[in-house]
Amino acid sequence: MIGVIPLHFTIEEFMSSVVQSEDQLDGPSFSQAAKDQRAKSGQVLRSVWRIHFYAAFIAVPFLLLEIMTGLIILYTGPIMGVLYGDVMRVEPSSQSVALQEQRVAADTAAPEGAALEAIVTPREAGDATAFQYPQEDGTYLSVFVNPHTGDVTGTHVNGADIVGLANRLHGFLNNDSITLTLPALSHLIDQDSGPLLQEYVVGDLVLEIAAGWTLVLTLAGLFLWWPRRSQKGKALIRPRLQKKGLIRWRDVHAVSGILAIAALLLFLITGLPWSAYWGATWSTVAERVTPGEGGPFSAGAPSELAEVGDLTRYGQAIPWALQDTAIPASTAGDPHAGHSGESGSAGGEVSAAEGGVAAGTGADLPAPIDVSVVSQAASEEGMLPGYTIYLPADEVADDGTVTYGSYTLQNFWPQRLQDERTVVLDQFSGETLVDAGSGTFGGLQAATEVGITTHMGTQFGFWNTVWVTASCILLLLSIASAVAMWWIRRPAGRLGLPKRPASPGLTATIIGITVALAIIYPLWGATALLVLVMDKFVIQQVPALRRVFNMPEAS
């Protein structure tokens, strides 16, 4: 009823057509087997139609939320330009100020005690450089500096606007404080992926379940739309706008839905890898089935400090395929031995291969390179304008060993798969420790990334954005027309569900698809089982609920 595609009959029309078909089967040219087959087909259609209704009540609010917030995310650049153009945009000039000088200006304007953690370089000549500082409340403050003059143009708290709200709603319903402990399927596949019991944000789980029901809604709608000889005259891809009432709404709903179905399936399948539960499982499976070239960051010693996915806290998203990769540590000078802060003696010494050195006065350590050197290295490495510099984070262990972090350079995301690139520099020497591009991804990781960047509207440039926008508009039209149909024909005191047949008559193919979906998406499978239990043991047993849900009398 609501969502992608309906069966092209009202309840009354459908029943009358079934009766008419059965009357026609009474003629001598039709065998009893043919009549039985037609009756079974009618039961299947009504059952799938009913599933379409059930799924719609869960999926439509989710679809509306994801479409509206997705469009805001898609047009983040123009929206931010309108809201903060006076801060984020500058007058283009051929002159430039060294990045280190820009940093000094930003540090001066930042709150006292704030430590710079990331720098977003300009994508265009008219962009300001953004210097990002963590705040006590967990947010990040961006200080914008004119790269041509070195003047501070203003500040902005990351996420404190409609774009930030859209991202939070799109990802976890804007609430990450409520969590639920569940067994992690990723642990069963690879015990090194994390503990068996893990905490998940409830908002993220709700969205993942809703995505599963939207997938069911879509597949059921496709089944109902599929051309059949018994349904001659229904609209397939051209709505009969000259008709009035339910027929017009039905055609608009069906045609807009079927034109957008490929995009909707893509949105669902490529959005789920970002979910906390299913996404972690898929990431583990992808790494086991098609591992990258030794792991994107195998060239350097892994840091105890962070994984690339942790860098999303600085306000810049990270490619999905790099979320779980460790950042290699800097070697603090001698690439062949550890360093003692005091005298070079063995106390607490750790080899450089482990990425750490013993803590001490630090007098024997080389000075870290400044961000102007990093910027020059980025230029030599061919990083794209708009790349982000994540500053090193050092950590002292309980035994006094220091792990020195590294500069991590990340091309702006989202963009095309072939432009995704990460370069890691030693913070002392500037040496390139890692140069990881999309060529280091395994086959499944690369395929997932292509889907995600298409989902984000960037993989195929301008026309990709147009396609995503048009698809979202078509989906909104399909939902609006479905709601209009339901409102016109809703029975008093009922949900408007098609009447449940005495026998569902679902085919082995439909049952097989349902079981496969439950295995692939276990959270959806658990809720589907709950719906079946409620339907069988609660709704069917209570007369008032049977009436509301349009069920036959209990046998």
Side-chain angles (χ1 to χ4, degrees):
M1 144 38 190
I2 302 174
V4 186
I5 320 102
L7 177 64
H8 293 273
F9 291 90
T10 63
I11 297 174
E12 294 78 14
E13 288 172 331
F14 180 87
M15 293 302 299
S16 64
S17 69
V18 171
V19 171
Q20 183 180 12
S21 297
E22 289 178 348
D23 289 342
Q24 292 171 348
L25 290 177
D26 289 336
S29 60
F30 292 93
S31 66
Q32 183 62 41
K35 289 189 290 184
D36 291 344
Q37 181 61 40
R38 292 292 297 273
K40 183 177 180 181
S41 297
Q43 291 178 332
V44 172
L45 283 171
R46 275 188 290 171
S47 295
V48 175
W49 191 14
R50 192 174 176 85
I51 291 170
H52 195 59
F53 261 80
Y54 265 122
F57 287 115
I58 301 173
V60 165
F62 160 80
L63 262 179
L64 288 172
L65 174 69
E66 296 299 288
I67 289 170
M68 299 308 298
T69 56
L71 284 171
I72 292 172
I73 295 168
L74 181 66
Y75 291 99
T76 292
I79 292 173
M80 295 297 284
V82 171
L83 295 177
Y84 308 106
D86 58 332
V87 173
M88 303 175 65
R89 299 289 295 175
V90 299
E91 189 68 29
S93 172
S94 58
Q95 296 181 339
S96 62
V97 174
L99 191 59
Q100 181 63 25
E101 294 182 40
Q102 296 180 50
R103 175 183 181 176
V104 172
D107 286 343
T108 302
E112 184 176 355
L116 179 66
E117 290 194 355
I119 304 170
V120 182
T121 60
R123 296 186 71 179
E124 300 175 356
D127 290 340
T129 308
F131 295 81
Q132 299 180 344
Y133 300 82
Q135 300 189 107
E136 291 183 358
D137 62 359
T139 61
Y140 280 80
L141 177 72
S142 286
V143 177
F144 292 92
V145 177
N146 188 324
H148 310 297
T149 66
D151 297 329
V152 174
T153 60
T155 63
H156 170 61
V157 177
N158 294 355
D161 48 53
I162 188 174
V163 173
L165 177 61
N167 275 279
R168 295 190 298 273
L169 287 171
H170 201 81
F172 50 87
L173 296 179
N174 196 32
N175 189 331
D176 58 0
S177 61
I178 304 175
T179 60
L180 181 66
T181 301
L182 294 174
L185 293 180
S186 55
H187 174 86
L188 302 179
I189 300 170
D190 184 355
Q191 295 185 0
D192 293 333
S193 65
L196 176 60
L197 295 178
Q198 299 183 28
E199 284 193 358
Y200 299 93
V201 174
V202 170
D204 189 291
L205 298 177
V206 170
L207 291 178
E208 182 175 330
I209 291 169
W213 281 106
T214 306
L215 186 59
V216 172
L217 176 77
T218 307
L219 296 177
L222 180 61
F223 177 87
L224 295 172
W225 171 88
W226 201 260
R228 295 176 178 85
R229 282 183 293 180
S230 61
Q231 297 174 340
K232 292 180 180 179
K234 74 174 183 179
L236 295 177
I237 58 174
R238 184 178 179 181
R240 294 167 290 179
L241 299 179
Q242 73 278 9
K243 299 288 186 178
K244 296 181 179 180
L246 286 173
I247 294 179
R248 178 191 293 175
W249 285 118
R250 185 177 62 219
D251 286 2
V252 170
H253 175 64
V255 173
S256 58
I258 202 64
L259 290 177
I261 193 170
L264 180 56
L265 289 171
L266 176 78
F267 294 156
L268 293 170
I269 294 171
T270 60
L272 281 167
W274 286 108
S275 63
Y277 193 81
W278 191 87
T281 304
W282 175 245
S283 178
T284 303
V285 169
E287 181 59 32
R288 292 292 295 271
V289 175
T290 59
E293 295 180 3
F297 289 163
S298 61
S303 169
E304 298 286 337
L305 307 178
E307 295 176 343
V308 173
D310 298 329
L311 301 178
T312 58
R313 65 182 184 272
Y314 302 128
Q316 290 296 117
I318 300 297
W320 176 84
L322 295 176
Q323 294 286 308
D324 299 327
T325 52
I327 298 172
S330 297
T331 55
D334 185 355
H336 303 295
H339 294 262
S340 169
E342 289 290 340
S343 60
S345 60
E349 185 172 320
V350 179
S351 71
E354 295 173 316
V357 300
T361 65
D364 59 340
L365 294 178
I369 60 175
D370 65 37
V371 293
S372 290
V373 177
V374 175
S375 176
Q376 181 180 354
S379 178
E380 293 173 353
E381 293 286 354
M383 299 298 290
L384 297 178
Y387 67 88
T388 299
I389 301 172
Y390 300 102
L391 275 70
D394 302 337
E395 185 175 87
V396 181
D398 293 338
D399 64 355
T401 300
V402 181
T403 300
Y404 289 98
S406 305
Y407 283 103
T408 303
L409 314 181
Q410 192 93 43
N411 270 349
F412 186 86
W413 191 90
Q415 76 277 77
R416 301 180 305 169
L417 170 69
Q418 54 268 41
D419 293 332
E420 292 180 3
R421 191 173 176 210
T422 298
V423 171
V424 181
L425 305 178
D426 188 294
Q427 68 162 299
F428 300 104
S429 67
E431 177 187 0
T432 298
L433 301 177
V434 170
D435 184 354
S438 58
T440 65
F441 300 166
L444 290 178
Q445 290 91 330
T448 302
E449 280 291 343
V450 169
I452 289 172
T453 53
T454 304
H455 177 132
M456 300 295 293
T458 58
Q459 181 63 37
F460 303 103
F462 170 77
W463 292 110
N464 196 161
T465 302
V466 171
W467 177 70
V468 171
T469 303
S471 298
C472 287
I473 293 172
L474 285 170
L475 289 172
L476 289 174
L477 181 60
S478 184
I479 292 171
S481 55
V483 172
M485 278 195 301
W486 173 78
W487 184 258
I488 291 172
R489 69 186 185 194
R490 72 194 190 287
R494 300 184 184 181
L495 292 178
L497 285 164
K499 187 173 182 179
R500 183 183 186 275
S503 174
L506 297 179
T507 65
T509 300
I510 294 175
I511 295 173
I513 292 174
T514 303
V515 172
L517 285 176
I519 293 173
I520 296 172
Y521 303 111
L523 286 184
W524 172 81
T527 60
L529 181 61
L530 178 61
V531 168
L532 289 175
V533 170
M534 291 291 293
D535 184 88
K536 179 70 175 177
F537 298 105
V538 178
I539 296 174
Q540 291 188 43
Q541 306 306 318
V542 179
L545 291 177
R546 283 204 305 270
R547 181 176 182 276
V548 170
F549 284 85
N550 203 17
M551 285 190 165
E553 293 296 323
S555 55

